[in-house]
Amino acid sequence: MYPSSCDTFVALPPSTEGQRIIFGKNSDRPCDEVQEVVYFPSRDYGAEEKVECTYIEIEQVAHTYAVVLSKPAWLWGAEMGANEHQVCIGNEAVWGRESADGDEALLGMDLVRLGLERADTAEKAVDVITELLGKYGQGGSCMEDECGFTYHNSFLISDRKEAWLLETSGKHWAAERVEGGYRNISNQYGITTKIDKEHPEMREYAQSKGWWDGKSEFNFATVYSFTTTARIEASGSRYCEGKKLLEKSNGHITAETMMDILRDKDSGINMEGMFMTTGSMVSVIPTNPDLPGVHYFTATPDPERSVFKPFIFVKYAKELKETTSPSYGPDDPVKKKPRFRSKPDRKHGLFVKHEVVAAIIDTYKDRGQKIIENMRQLEKAKMTEMEKFLSYGIEEPDFLVNLFSSSIQEETATYNKS
């Protein structure tokens, strides 16, 4: 399958307005795949406990952090998400010289969730992911299909003070620290000569394969991918378009800026077709640790005709029932071998309602335009409301335990009104 899915962005001061970090991602997946948004509170575990990921079982840690995740409903991991310490992670499919075909292991999406559950900083997330990669490897079909769609993974990870770009090829990897400005990734290797952490045998392995002569300056993207850095920069791809859109607002990047970028169809960032944008996320993280982060998720396809709804980590945050898909337990066709012999209905409540509205928008131009206007008004009102918390903090956390769910109720009310 042609590598054309997902775009992840991060902007840090001085590229952003105020002392805030803005993180964003479009998850581009098969058009018939449902993406759910789920919340899991922090939890303690016993010494011998295991965790069952999408394909394999691994050792559990003593404590996992609270996480909010946007994830394909059929698997354990996540495309993107955040944790209670305001660490945000999004992953991308990448292809290179090393074959991505292999036995079932951890998916890149499993590593996103594991990084969020186990790391309280972006740098620690790099360490968690690379340690698990070394121990268990990455592999297995990344689609709910017998076609065996596989890839390596890159990750954009941020916290309150910095971001990290982590790129993998099998068990080998390189990581680059981003301390200011902006960065975006789009299905291609982007780490060149600035490498701040790396697999201890990464260079030796490349040399043994004949990909690097051992003398010239080591460039990860050139050595491990099919394309040279110059070709990546000149490709006119979504990566270049995304970079231009960030540059256009450099110094003034806000959550609204990021939402506009994720909605951009001309650039291909808001993808349409057999692979489309099935879920979107924008996070606003103040550098001040006394202020909360706000994490906006659509939980529905196509951000152009979706509402970004806010989630804030508070002590008694409730389960997100409206965007949680049906569970089939051990009877799920994903759990049975041979896998993917059938596809159960995974549509959650909001997805079903949004599907009807999306059809109306497509069919009736004037009515559709009115629905989108109502969506934007609701979104703007929610963002104005969130600005108080981002600027002054939270006085009554109990009022926010149902924030995401109540926003969904307001969204569905706009559907009914239209």
Side-chain angles (χ1 to χ4, degrees), residues 250-265:
N250 191 22
H252 308 283
I253 295 171
T254 62
E256 291 92 335
T257 310
M258 196 64 78
M259 289 173 189
D260 287 345
I261 290 172
L262 297 184
R263 285 177 166 136
D264 195 284
K265 289 191 173 174

Side-chain angles (χ1 to χ4, degrees), residues 300 305-307 309 350 353-355 357 360 367 371 374-375 408 410-418:
T300 51
R305 51 190 188 190
S306 293
V307 177
K309 298 164 285 291
L350 179 62
K353 291 172 183 172
H354 182 268
E355 202 171 30
V357 167
I360 293 169
R367 195 173 162 198
I371 292 171
N374 289 341
M375 284 178 167
I408 288 171
E410 291 179 66
E411 179 180 359
T412 53
T414 68
Y415 296 171
N416 298 336
K417 192 166 67 177
S418 303

Side-chain angles (χ1 to χ4, degrees), residues 145-314:
D145 198 290
E146 291 178 272
C147 73
F149 179 52
T150 59
Y151 47 75
H152 304 297
N153 289 268
S154 66
F155 305 86
L156 196 53
I157 309 167
S158 67
D159 60 20
R160 286 193 187 272
K161 68 169 188 172
E162 64 185 11
W164 281 81
L165 173 54
L166 168 62
E167 298 184 336
T168 71
S169 177
K171 288 193 175 187
H172 298 96
W173 56 272
E176 178 186 346
R177 188 196 302 263
V178 181
E179 295 178 275
Y182 54 82
R183 195 64 178 263
N184 63 306
I185 57 173
S186 300
N187 305 119
Q188 56 202 13
Y189 291 109
I191 294 174
T192 57
T193 56
K194 183 183 181 296
I195 299 171
D196 296 301
K197 288 191 174 199
E198 64 185 79
H199 187 284
E201 295 163 13
M202 177 194 72
R203 297 175 195 237
E204 184 185 327
Y205 181 75
Q207 198 170 353
S208 74
K209 288 284 194 178
W211 301 339
W212 179 52
D213 60 12
K215 297 171 187 171
S216 57
E217 185 178 30
F218 189 87
N219 181 313
F220 184 79
T222 300
V223 171
Y224 272 88
S225 74
F226 295 122
T227 50
T228 65
T229 310
R231 280 178 63 194
I232 288 171
E233 290 287 354
S235 65
S237 65
R238 297 184 333 276
Y239 166 76
C240 295
E241 293 299 317
K243 198 172 175 182
K244 284 179 197 169
L245 289 167
L246 288 168
E247 175 59 37
K248 193 173 160 186
S249 297
N250 191 22
H252 308 283
I253 295 171
T254 62
E256 291 92 335
T257 310
M258 196 64 78
M259 289 173 189
D260 287 345
I261 290 172
L262 297 184
R263 285 177 166 136
D264 195 284
K265 289 191 173 174
D266 291 342
S267 63
I269 289 167
N270 182 6
M271 194 171 287
E272 300 177 285
M274 293 304 290
F275 252 57
M276 72 173 293
T277 299
T278 56
S280 303
M281 167 187 175
V282 170
S283 292
V284 186
I285 313 296
T287 56
N288 181 347
D290 296 327
L291 298 174
V294 178
H295 308 278
Y296 296 94
F297 295 91
T298 59
T300 51
D302 186 356
E304 175 61 27
R305 51 190 188 190
S306 293
V307 177
F308 281 92
K309 298 164 285 291
F311 176 93
I312 294 177
F313 285 95
V314 289

Side-chain angles (χ1 to χ4, degrees), residues 45-62 64 76-77 104-118 128-139 171 335:
Y45 295 89
E48 302 300 316
E49 288 198 57
K50 306 281 187 186
V51 55
E52 189 178 335
C53 301
T54 303
Y55 297 125
I56 66 168
E57 191 178 74
I58 67 170
E59 293 168 2
Q60 185 54 284
V61 289
T64 56
W76 182 85
E104 290 181 347
L106 290 172
L107 291 178
M109 291 172 279
D110 293 337
L111 290 165
V112 168
R113 179 169 174 177
L114 290 162
L116 290 169
E117 288 186 341
R118 301 179 180 198
V128 165
I129 291 170
T130 54
E131 187 181 323
L132 290 166
L133 190 63
K135 191 170 184 179
Y136 300 104
Q138 59 181 323
K171 288 193 175 187
K335 297 293 179 190

Side-chain angles (χ1 to χ4, degrees), residues 320-388:
L320 310 181
K321 291 181 180 177
E322 298 88 349
T323 53
T324 298
S325 294
S327 174
Y328 297 93
D331 294 327
D332 197 307
V334 173
K335 297 293 179 190
K336 295 178 176 179
K337 291 186 178 180
R339 303 192 198 276
F340 311 124
R341 287 298 172 94
S342 63
K343 277 189 188 180
D345 182 3
R346 302 192 188 276
K347 296 174 183 177
H348 53 72
L350 179 62
F351 187 96
V352 171
K353 291 172 183 172
H354 182 268
E355 202 171 30
V356 173
V357 167
I360 293 169
I361 292 170
D362 284 342
T363 310
Y364 305 101
K365 188 179 177 183
D366 292 343
R367 195 173 162 198
Q369 189 57 43
K370 183 64 179 169
I371 292 171
I372 289 174
E373 283 171 14
N374 289 341
M375 284 178 167
R376 292 291 185 281
Q377 284 173 10
L378 170 63
E379 186 178 275
K380 193 172 181 182
K382 285 283 143 198
M383 294 180 79
T384 302
E385 195 182 321
M386 293 307 105
E387 194 57 42
K388 291 181 290 184

